[in-house]
Amino acid sequence: MRDTNEETISVTLSLGVAQAAKQENDTLDDLLNKADIALYAAKQNGRNQVRLYEEKKEMLKRT
């Protein structure tokens, strides 16, 4: 948050994260889709947070 000439500008960040090991066959599109799923989960759960997509557990983990 920054106070500029008595005006307050508030900024929040919602982030979706996906990762893959070298040996996995995920394409870039697959990773972007998983990150997008995590991003929407972050927005649905109150925004201003980071969510990690974890396929093994088939769930989204809040970080």
Side-chain angles (χ1 to χ4, degrees):
M1 195 174 336
R2 182 177 175 194
D3 191 7
T4 308
N5 295 330
E6 298 182 28
E7 292 182 31
T8 300
I9 300 171
S10 179
V11 178
T12 63
L13 174 71
S14 297
L15 199 63
V17 178
Q19 60 185 1
K22 266 188 171 180
Q23 63 270 22
E24 291 182 17
N25 293 324
D26 283 339
T27 64
L28 179 58
D29 284 337
D30 293 335
L31 288 173
L32 290 173
N33 185 49
K34 291 174 182 179
D36 194 48
I37 291 168
L39 171 62
Y40 280 100
K43 289 182 176 183
Q44 285 182 324
N45 289 302
R47 299 183 180 240
N48 203 26
Q49 57 183 285
V50 177
R51 299 286 286 207
L52 174 63
Y53 182 90
E54 291 187 302
E55 190 171 2
K56 290 180 184 177
K57 296 179 183 177
E58 295 181 6
M59 62 180 278
L60 296 168
K61 179 180 180 183
R62 185 173 182 181
T63 56

